[in-house]
Amino acid sequence: MTEAFEKLVSLFDYPMFVVTTRAGGESAGCLVGFASQVSIQPQRFLVGLSKRNHTYRIAEGASHLAVHLLERQHCELARLFGSETGDRTDKFARCNWHPGPHELPILDDAAGWFAGAVLSRYDLGDHVGFLLEPLAGSAPETLEQLVTFSDVRDLEPGHEA
Ligand SMILES: Cc1cc2nc3c(=O)[nH]c(=O)nc-3n(C[C@H](O)[C@H](O)[C@H](O)COP(=O)(O)O)c2cc1C
């Protein structure tokens, strides 16, 4: 069964997000595929962060996360946040951003974003699920083509999962 499951999930073409956060005076962010709305009423969104990632370690002490959608014209942001690690690179020195709610770094070139309060954390295995309550954000009227898994499947992640 696991083989079939692996094959199946490799065929999914879900949207990719950049998740950022800030705690203890440090900003962090990485490319995330494990993310989804999980409740309508109340509004809830779940983000899976790998325990190996710099972003996870900062998010452990954070009260909020920001979730960004990317358009294909800004694929370079997916590359930056997915193939570099904050352990070695200051990603925020290499992109345009501004401080948003709760001092979260908001990417200027994101197609849309929301900030969410971390309600609870779930140990899911090699990832930890962060359950978010959306609080603020910005949504475009229309979207060009979003960055999805097939656009970034060849990226070498900054950290092994
Ligand atoms: C296609 C793809 C999907 C990814 N999905 C996730 C994910 O869902 N959760 C996660 O924590 N990391 C995910 N990553 C890995 C991180 O984005 C990557 O290791 C990043 O360099 C970590 O940066 P950090 O150490 O600064 O947090 C993904 C990477 C790629 C290329």
Side-chain angles (χ1 to χ4, degrees), residues 19-23 26-30 54-56 58-59 81 92 105:
V19 172
T20 62
T21 192
R22 185 168 175 86
E26 212 180 329
S27 294
C30 68
H54 176 255
T55 304
Y56 165 71
I58 302 299
F81 280 88
F92 296 94

Side-chain angles (χ1 to χ4, degrees), residues 16 31 33-34 48-50 53-55 81-82 84-86 91 158-159:
M16 301 300 299
L31 186 69
F34 294 165
L49 291 180
S50 164
N53 288 355
H54 176 255
T55 304
F81 280 88
E84 301 287 348
T85 170
K91 300 181 203 183
H159 269 291

Side-chain angles (χ1 to χ4, degrees), residues 30-108:
C30 68
L31 186 69
V32 163
F34 294 165
S36 178
Q37 182 174 4
V38 288
S39 168
I40 301 166
Q41 197 53 257
Q43 293 176 330
R44 296 289 182 264
F45 194 90
L46 190 72
V47 169
L49 291 180
S50 164
K51 293 174 182 174
R52 297 210 180 173
N53 288 355
H54 176 255
T55 304
Y56 165 71
R57 291 194 295 279
I58 302 299
E60 273 293 275
S63 57
H64 294 79
L65 304 182
V67 179
H68 302 79
L69 275 174
L70 301 178
E71 282 173 334
R72 281 215 181 121
Q73 53 168 325
H74 291 297
C75 221
E76 81 284 351
L77 280 175
R79 243 189 328 274
L80 174 64
F81 280 88
S83 63
E84 301 287 348
T85 170
D87 289 338
R88 289 188 290 274
T89 303
D90 180 0
K91 300 181 203 183
F92 296 94
R94 292 171 55 180
C95 64
N96 297 318
W97 61 276
H98 61 274
H102 304 278
E103 293 185 19
L104 288 164
I106 304 300
L107 304 180
D108 293 352

Side-chain angles (χ1 to χ4, degrees), residues 9-16 31 33 72 75 78 145-155:
V9 294
S10 76
L11 298 171
F12 294 172
D13 198 15
Y14 37 76
M16 301 300 299
L31 186 69
R72 281 215 181 121
C75 221
Q145 284 193 314
L146 285 178
V147 175
T148 63
F149 179 66
S150 58
D151 297 312
V152 289
R153 67 188 318 151
D154 295 333
L155 276 188

